[in-house]
Amino acid sequence: MAKADRFNVQCLEPGCNQVFQNDCPKDEGVGRRMEFRRFAFEMVDKVREELERRFGGPNSKLMTAALDPSSETFLDDEAIVNFAECYEVDTDDVVLEVNNRKRHLGRLKDDETPKTLMSFKSYIAYIRAAYSQLDKLATIAVTLPFSTAECERNFSSMKLIKSDVRSTLTQERLDSLMMIGIHRHRNIDLNEVVNEFRWRFPNSRIAL
């Protein structure tokens, strides 16, 4: 019979400070599994809090509209400030940059002005050295999802990839498998993959 050891488990419910004591067979590593589970729950809670911070307040679509040339609130000072405050961007600097961009956009011809959020991001990217805060907001706007569905799909993919029998996966390999799993809808040229592998590992014993 395995020797029993005593360990404490902290309740993870918000506002609960109760500590449970349990007996576990130390030789079977139950204590280590409980410790791993505790850290995993803490990580999930932090991710959930971050998602709520980003998506639980003002609607993200309304915030990103402040940088969409087709929107009525395009470069509106109040909308820009609300957007900047959510992502800890310097509001004073971004307001100055927005006012300068307004004057510059007013001097452009109609066919030279950006018409979409992506084109506005490309337009700002050329002058990011002078408009760093505005470029930061534009980068957030074009990468910010309008819901958490994609994030949840990514976590589901990770759960399938990093299973119990793959617990020794390195971070680099996990990142690569996650990229393949998440972007599996993309067409991959297998010949290009083989050529890349051959170039990176010229001394490989694997016949290609």
Side-chain angles (χ1 to χ4, degrees):
M1 181 175 179
K3 182 181 178 181
D5 189 20
R6 201 164 185 79
F7 67 97
N8 297 330
V9 179
Q10 176 70 44
C11 177
L12 299 177
E13 290 297 326
C16 178
N17 297 319
Q18 188 173 1
V19 176
F20 302 95
Q21 290 188 342
N22 290 288
D23 292 327
C24 71
K26 185 177 181 180
D27 295 345
E28 295 182 6
V30 176
R32 289 193 297 272
R33 289 199 293 273
M34 291 297 294
E35 185 72 9
F36 173 78
R37 181 177 295 181
R38 183 174 68 84
F39 283 119
F41 285 164
E42 289 179 356
M43 182 192 70
V44 172
D45 286 341
K46 290 179 180 179
V47 171
R48 185 194 60 171
E49 290 173 2
E50 183 65 15
L51 290 174
E52 289 178 353
R53 184 185 74 82
R54 294 193 178 198
F55 303 105
N59 185 275
S60 58
K61 189 171 184 179
L62 295 178
M63 290 193 296
T64 57
L67 297 176
D68 187 352
S70 62
S71 171
E72 296 181 357
T73 59
F74 177 55
L75 296 184
D76 179 75
D77 289 350
E78 184 178 355
I80 288 287
V81 168
N82 291 335
F83 191 9
E85 287 177 345
C86 287
Y87 292 93
E88 300 177 358
V89 176
D90 192 310
T91 55
D92 294 333
D93 286 350
V94 78
V95 168
L96 291 175
E97 294 174 5
V98 165
N99 290 332
N100 289 334
R101 283 299 88 199
K102 284 180 181 179
R103 289 193 291 270
H104 184 265
L105 288 171
R107 293 192 292 267
L108 294 178
K109 297 179 181 178
D110 185 63
D111 58 345
E112 296 175 342
T113 57
K115 299 294 190 300
T116 63
L117 178 59
M118 284 300 299
S119 62
F120 181 74
K121 170 65 179 81
S122 301
Y123 166 74
I124 292 295
Y126 287 111
I127 49 177
R128 66 164 58 95
Y131 297 90
S132 60
Q133 302 302 311
L134 191 56
D135 178 68
K136 187 183 298 185
L137 277 184
T139 301
I140 294 172
V142 297
T143 57
L144 183 67
F146 295 144
S147 73
T148 61
E150 187 168 351
C151 301
E152 293 169 359
R153 282 196 296 268
N154 294 345
F155 278 111
S156 298
S157 298
M158 185 174 69
K159 184 177 180 181
L160 294 173
I161 293 170
K162 193 173 178 63
S163 61
D164 292 338
V165 297
R166 286 180 169 179
S167 58
T168 58
L169 273 178
T170 62
Q171 187 62 45
E172 183 178 1
R173 176 161 293 187
L174 177 61
D175 292 343
S176 300
L177 292 175
M178 285 288 293
M179 289 293 292
I180 295 174
I182 294 170
H183 301 287
R184 58 183 176 273
H185 59 280
R186 297 183 60 179
N187 294 324
I188 300 176
D189 188 345
L190 296 181
N191 291 326
E192 185 178 346
V193 173
V194 170
N195 293 333
E196 180 72 14
F197 183 87
R198 183 183 299 161
W199 177 79
R200 291 194 179 191
F201 307 100
N203 299 323
S204 174
R205 296 182 181 180
I206 300 176
L208 300 175

